[in-house]
């Protein structure tokens, strides 16, 4: 959550230098083994990237090479900009509305998510009606592909794939052999929860600076 809040509050992207500046204030440094997190650089640039919590990309034409962090797809799926904004404001002891640009962006994201959820619910209802199945009785399609997924279309594609798979099974007389999808993220989610708790516990004091009308506020934990 600390990493996601830094990225969001600085315009949905953050340089690696800014990330490490904040983490150093929390006692986390690259190349130094941490008793809880181990190799922190590997955790952030490798594990969290593989788990799709973060995206880590080189800045184009940078010489020497510089890198930036962005939210990964899974972060969009498992949390929201409003939740991250409220987390940051709790740490900074401020009201979310004090960051007007971020608050507006978070509200718009929430409204978009609500619209997509409504569209998904409608699609599910239509498919259930077409196939004559009851609420909660349909199986999800196969495992999530986080490399190709897109939050809104992904949900609809999953429903459609499930409907097609069930229809084929019924046609071949083997509907009972269909398997439910596995959506378990417990191990990595626990890792994220541990990181959140550890970093939050290490925060001492609060403070942030603003940077004009661009929407990024130079947000940093102090």
């Amino acid at each position: 959550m600390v990493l996601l809040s830094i990225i969001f509050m600085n315009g949905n992207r953050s340089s690696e230098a800014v990330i490490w500046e904040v983490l150093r204030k929390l006692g986390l440094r690259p190349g130094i083994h941490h008793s809880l997190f181990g190799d922190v650089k590997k955790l952030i640039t490798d594990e969290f990237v593989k788990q799709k919590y973060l995206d880590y990309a080189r800045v184009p034409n940078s010489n020497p090479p510089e890198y930036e962090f962005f939210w990964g797809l899974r972060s969009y799926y498992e949390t929201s900009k409003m939740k991250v904004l409220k987390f940051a404001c709790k740490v900074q002891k401020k009201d979310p509305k004090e960051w007007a640009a971020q608050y507006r962006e978070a509200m718009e994201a929430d409204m978009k998510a609500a619209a997509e959820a409504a569209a998904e619910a409608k699609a599910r209802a239509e498919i259930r009606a077409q196939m004559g199945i009851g609420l909660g009785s349909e199986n999800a399609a196969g495992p999530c592909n986080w490399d190709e997924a897109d939050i809104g279309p992904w949900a609809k594609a999953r429903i459609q794939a499930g409907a097609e798979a069930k229809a084929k099974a019924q046609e071949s007389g083997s509907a009972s052999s269909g398997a439910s999808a596995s959506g378990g993220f417990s191990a990595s989610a626990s890792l994220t929860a541990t990181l959140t708790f550890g970093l939050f516990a290490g925060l001492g004091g609060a403070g942030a600076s603003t940077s004009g009308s661009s929407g990024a506020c130079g947000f940093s934990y102090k």
Side-chain angles (χ1 to χ4, degrees):
M1 290 295 286
V2 170
L3 295 172
L4 295 180
S5 65
I6 296 169
I7 294 169
F8 173 52
M9 300 298 285
N10 283 285
N12 295 303
R13 64 200 303 154
S14 177
S15 69
E16 187 171 16
V18 170
I19 292 292
W20 284 113
E21 178 185 352
V22 175
L23 294 183
R24 285 189 181 94
K25 294 176 182 177
L26 300 176
L28 303 173
R29 292 174 173 80
I32 298 180
H33 186 275
H34 189 272
S35 60
L36 179 61
F37 305 126
D39 187 334
V40 182
K41 183 175 177 64
K42 181 179 179 181
L43 175 67
I44 295 172
T45 62
D46 187 10
E47 294 298 328
F48 282 177
V49 172
K50 286 181 179 178
Q51 294 170 15
K52 303 297 181 181
Y53 285 115
L54 296 174
D55 281 341
Y56 181 63
R58 179 176 175 176
V59 178
N61 304 317
S62 60
N63 189 18
E66 296 179 4
Y67 293 85
E68 290 181 313
F69 284 94
F70 304 84
W71 279 31
L73 174 63
R74 193 162 164 184
S75 292
Y76 283 102
Y77 186 73
E78 294 187 6
T79 189
S80 69
K81 291 182 177 180
M82 184 59 76
K83 289 180 181 178
V84 170
L85 175 60
K86 288 181 178 179
F87 169 85
C89 290
K90 181 178 180 180
V91 174
Q92 301 289 339
K93 298 179 181 178
K94 294 181 179 291
D95 187 283
K97 294 182 181 179
E98 292 188 40
W99 282 294
Q102 286 82 1
Y103 183 77
R104 182 170 57 253
E105 182 178 346
M107 286 292 292
E108 291 174 352
D110 274 1
M111 289 189 289
K112 181 180 179 181
E116 289 179 345
E120 178 182 349
K122 182 179 179 181
R124 284 181 179 275
E126 290 176 350
I127 291 174
R128 284 196 297 267
Q130 291 172 4
M131 302 187 69
I133 55 180
L135 286 172
S137 61
E138 75 275 23
N139 289 330
C144 307
N145 186 335
W146 292 100
D147 292 309
E148 300 176 359
D150 186 8
I151 298 304
W154 170 76
K156 297 175 185 177
R158 184 180 64 172
I159 299 168
Q160 183 61 36
E164 292 174 354
K166 189 165 185 176
K168 289 180 180 179
Q170 289 175 333
E171 290 174 358
S172 63
S174 59
S176 61
S177 64
S180 298
S182 172
F185 301 136
S186 57
S188 52
S190 176
L191 179 62
T192 303
T194 302
L195 178 64
T196 301
F197 176 80
L199 294 183
F200 184 80
L203 296 176
S209 58
T210 56
S211 60
S213 59
S214 64
C217 66
F219 182 88
S220 175
Y221 291 99
K222 299 182 180 178

